[in-house]
Amino acid sequence: MSTRALRKEEEENLLRRADDLCRQNNLRLTPIRERVYRELVQSGGPVGAYDLVDRLSSDKKRLAPVTIYRALDFLRDAGLVHRLATQNSYVVSHGQPDVNAMKIMFVDSKTGETIEVHSTEVAEAVRKAAEQAGFKSVSPFMEVEGELSR
Amino acid sequence: MSTRALRKEEEENLLRRADDLCRQNNLRLTPIRERVYRELVQSGGPVGAYDLVDRLSSDKKRLAPVTIYRALDFLRDAGLVHRLATQNSYVVSHGQPDVNAMKIMFVDSKTGETIEVHSTEVAEAVRKAAEQAGFKSVSPFMEVEGELSR
DNA sequence: GCCGCTAAGTAATAACATTACGTAAAACGA
DNA sequence: TCGTTTTACGTAATGTTATTACTTAGCGGC
Ligand SMILES: [Zn+2]
Ligand SMILES: [Zn+2]
Ligand SMILES: [Zn+2]
Ligand SMILES: [Zn+2]
């Protein structure tokens, strides 16, 4: 099976999982929301909001920024998408939400490429540090910039 | 001694350390740069760039945004100030740069208040996770949102 | 059919950040 | 010391990201 086919299959998996998640939580994955999510899935990496505006607009129909931001807000609230604050961009969240793990988005400083890793070790270490800082709870998401090996 | 006096003393310490650091590295802590740094120190928390524009402008003399951004860039390059990407704001970096520690900025989701903690444990755990992700090096700074205890 | 609710359309604006170019002073080498 | 180079800052315009306010449309219960 080709890489392309694998990739396609992975895309379908993500879309299906999103559908399921929304159904189970009584959330409405409307056409616009699904198109935004699909675009993020297909891009395979972070995409800016205004890029999404362009990509999802046709000659006939130009979407407004606020439409995209609303869809992104929905997808983020659902846990399907992360915002990368350092990049002003948005990226699909992979992996099933493991409550005990820290979801770390490593962002390549050069290319903007991201890789998501879940780590209970980091979660535990951060939890301890948070306690020191007087924080009772912390977000399970973080973003770390770095350099990719190759 | 009053809390206010302690605070004032701490401010003076930071300013002095900044002066020293710049002298030792042949960096020029010009009046504008020092005013920006001082304002951040005195505020005791994160401040937005346009807030700094307002606070450092007088009726006579209005500073341009780019002036502030240039000063911030200098201070960040010098390691004196961090940018909080999730908040679009800037905050003084405390503590002497410990190369082996991760500098974690905990940001209170409600108030925006920040507390900086240095942790070698987190640094080590993140380093391991980075290796998994195929990253050879990572930034020693991270930002984590959470909720302050009180 | 009306009501209440949610999503999306539309327009304007706010908030954040950078580019481009000119001037002046500081630093540096001869 | 003089001319050259570099750095900092002023000024103006522009670019980029995100939100507010209000309206319209669709859907479901009653
Ligand atoms: Zn679907
Ligand atoms: Zn939301
Ligand atoms: Zn000084
Ligand atoms: Zn810089």
Side-chain angles (χ1 to χ4, degrees), chain A residues 93-147:
Chain A
S93 173
H94 283 266
Q96 47 277 20
D98 173 351
V99 274
N100 292 120
M102 178 62 73
K103 290 85 184 168
I104 311 168
M105 279 289 180
F106 287 103
V107 184
D108 185 64
S109 302
K110 298 257 197 318
T111 67
E113 189 175 344
T114 59
I115 298 183
E116 182 174 354
V117 173
H118 295 194
S119 163
T120 52
E121 287 82 359
V122 170
E124 184 54 22
V126 168
R127 203 192 52 70
K128 284 207 188 89
E131 201 166 334
Q132 256 185 266
F135 277 65
K136 62 185 174 207
S137 70
V138 297
S139 161
F141 297 108
M142 29 176 274
E143 197 179 333
V144 179
E145 288 183 271
E147 277 187 75

Side-chain angles (χ1 to χ4, degrees), chain A residues 50 66 69 83 90:
Chain A
Y50 278 74
V66 70
Y69 280 105
R83 171 170 138 83
Y90 303 84

Side-chain angles (χ1 to χ4, degrees), chain A residues 25-43:
Chain A
N25 294 90
N26 270 318
L27 303 172
R28 294 200 274 171
L29 191 58
T30 63
I32 287 185
R33 291 165 177 174
E34 189 169 351
R35 283 173 66 204
V36 170
Y37 184 66
R38 184 185 300 279
E39 189 60 40
L40 287 171
V41 167
Q42 289 178 351
S43 83

Side-chain angles (χ1 to χ4, degrees), chain B residues 9-69:
Chain B
E9 197 177 314
E10 172 67 3
E11 284 172 22
E12 283 161 8
N13 280 340
L14 286 169
L15 263 301
R16 198 153 3 87
R17 285 205 315 118
D19 262 8
D20 292 350
L21 181 120
C22 289
R23 237 185 291 282
Q24 283 162 23
N25 293 92
N26 268 318
L27 303 173
R28 294 199 272 167
L29 191 58
T30 63
I32 288 184
R33 290 166 178 173
E34 189 168 352
R35 283 173 65 202
V36 170
Y37 185 65
R38 183 185 303 277
E39 189 61 41
L40 287 171
V41 166
Q42 289 180 350
S43 85
V47 184
Y50 276 73
D51 266 10
L52 289 169
V53 170
D54 292 340
R55 296 188 196 182
L56 298 182
S57 290
S58 65
D59 296 333
K60 313 226 164 197
K61 180 94 190 143
R62 173 121 193 125
L63 293 181
V66 70
T67 300
I68 299 298
Y69 280 106

